[in-house]
Amino acid sequence: MMIASPAGLPVLGPVERKVTYRLYPSKTVRDELLRTRWVHCFLWNLALEERRRAWKEEKRRIGFVEQCRWLTELRSRSALLSSINAQFAQVTLKRLDLAFQAFFRRVRQGENPGFSRFKQAGRFSDFGFKQHEGDWRLIARERSAHLKLRLSGIGEIPIRGKARTPGEPRTCEIFLSGGRWHASVTMRCRPAREHGCGAEAFDLGTERFLTSARLEPEKSEPDVFEVANPRNLRKALKKLRKLGRTISRKMEAAIRKHGKRKGFRISKRLRKQYELLARMHAKVANVRKDFLHKQSAAMVRRSGLLITEELEPKRMTASARAAGKSPGNVCGKKPG
């Protein structure tokens, strides 16, 4: 549903938007965040093993409600699992349940199902909190435009970030990306966007980012312009290759020292190189995301109608490698 704001801007009905905040935890809080993530990863693996065991031995599917009862019994016997809030743990169980629902849906539709896997702590994505004001809370800071985030059982953490449209906080997810902690907060809000009166048609490309034709109401001919492709990855490729060679050299040295290619001990220096590589990739991703947001916001601000072609990039580039032998071949199909 769409209504009008007092300023005349179109306002959407209540929607949920994600707002990402950067966290600045102390060393003590950072250690507690890592420990909490490890416990949630341990719970994920236990719950996944329980579902697999029930199907293998009893040919029985386990749902979310049954696993919540299983968790209550397990927490009474495990000091590790009882160290985190039961509702926090249920968020992880719910994610596993949604993963299984998606698996069975893909099986019914004849798609590649992709069964859930056991996870290492370093590859476990994030953990979540349910109720605002109960499990977690956003707190205003004195003499500062930024906020604090209070997490039950962890403490208060200074954060930086701003919601484009303020709203009612609903849920919170904590994740580690590029060596930095972030909070993804779901806000229930009514976004209002300023926009122009003209119509704009654009076409995305590879050599150029996009080619656009914008027609204003008082003009008879459209204004055509192009936006260059920033090539963010290409600009960082030299540093990424140099760092990749350093990591490869250190890995080969560790393999020779331990005599095995898997499960060898990772030194502190090699771990730092991994973290540096992750930060560099995260920086490239952030620059690319910032560019895309700025371009889309500028298009919405200057136009009231946006037109583009519905494309399937996979089909468009399927014959690129074999173009010399069979030009026009799409997804293995012969032309004509």
Side-chain angles (χ1 to χ4, degrees), residues 35-247:
R35 190 196 74 85
T36 304
R37 188 183 67 156
W38 184 89
V39 176
H40 280 274
C41 178
F42 178 69
L43 175 61
W44 170 283
N45 292 334
L46 277 181
L48 178 57
E49 176 61 28
E50 178 65 15
R51 284 178 178 254
R52 295 179 60 169
R53 183 204 61 79
W55 177 255
K56 184 177 180 180
E57 298 179 2
E58 307 172 20
K59 300 299 180 184
R60 181 173 60 90
R61 293 182 184 178
I62 297 180
F64 171 69
V65 176
E66 185 175 350
Q67 283 215 306
C68 286
R69 292 195 294 266
W70 166 80
L71 175 64
T72 302
E73 180 183 352
L74 197 63
R75 280 170 52 85
S76 64
R77 304 195 309 265
S78 171
L80 180 64
L81 293 178
S82 61
S83 65
I84 61 173
N85 188 290
Q87 291 191 351
F88 306 166
Q90 289 176 8
V91 174
T92 298
L93 295 182
K94 185 63 178 178
R95 288 179 178 171
L96 181 61
D97 185 66
L98 291 175
F100 269 82
Q101 291 180 25
F103 168 78
F104 290 118
R105 185 189 69 248
R106 289 190 291 266
V107 169
R108 289 192 299 269
Q109 295 175 354
E111 302 175 3
N112 186 19
F115 194 77
S116 299
R117 301 179 180 181
F118 296 105
K119 297 184 179 182
Q120 297 178 354
R123 293 185 177 273
F124 190 73
S125 57
D126 52 13
F127 55 93
F129 297 82
K130 279 186 176 181
Q131 300 174 356
H132 185 247
E133 301 287 348
D135 303 335
W136 65 281
R137 184 180 180 185
L138 291 174
I139 306 173
R141 298 170 62 184
E142 296 182 1
R143 300 187 298 275
S144 176
H146 301 287
L147 305 173
K148 276 188 177 182
L149 177 65
R150 177 182 293 168
L151 302 177
S152 177
I154 295 178
E156 292 186 358
I157 310 171
I159 64 175
R160 290 177 67 93
K162 184 178 180 181
R164 177 186 295 173
T165 306
E168 177 189 358
R170 308 284 288 185
T171 61
C172 177
E173 297 174 354
I174 307 298
F175 65 95
L176 181 65
S177 176
R180 296 171 177 174
W181 288 97
H182 300 81
S184 179
V185 177
T186 303
M187 294 280 191
R188 189 170 181 82
C189 58
R190 292 179 178 270
R193 297 297 300 272
E194 179 184 356
H195 64 82
C197 300
E200 184 172 346
F202 64 95
D203 184 26
L204 298 175
T206 53
E207 185 64 27
R208 289 170 290 277
F209 175 69
L210 65 83
T211 302
S212 180
R214 182 161 55 94
L215 180 64
E216 296 293 344
E218 65 274 5
K219 294 184 179 180
S220 59
E221 293 294 330
D223 297 328
V224 180
F225 61 94
E226 296 176 347
V227 178
N229 196 326
R231 308 290 183 187
N232 304 133
L233 181 60
R234 182 179 296 179
K235 293 177 182 178
L237 209 53
K238 184 177 180 180
K239 292 182 179 179
L240 289 172
R241 284 173 175 167
K242 182 178 179 180
L243 185 58
R245 287 193 292 267
T246 302
I247 291 176

Side-chain angles (χ1 to χ4, degrees), residues 291-311:
F291 173 78
L292 294 176
H293 280 307
K294 287 180 178 178
Q295 291 298 324
S296 60
M299 293 172 69
V300 171
R301 195 179 305 115
R302 64 177 176 249
S303 305
L305 174 65
L306 294 174
I307 307 168
T308 188
E309 184 181 0
E310 185 176 1
L311 302 175

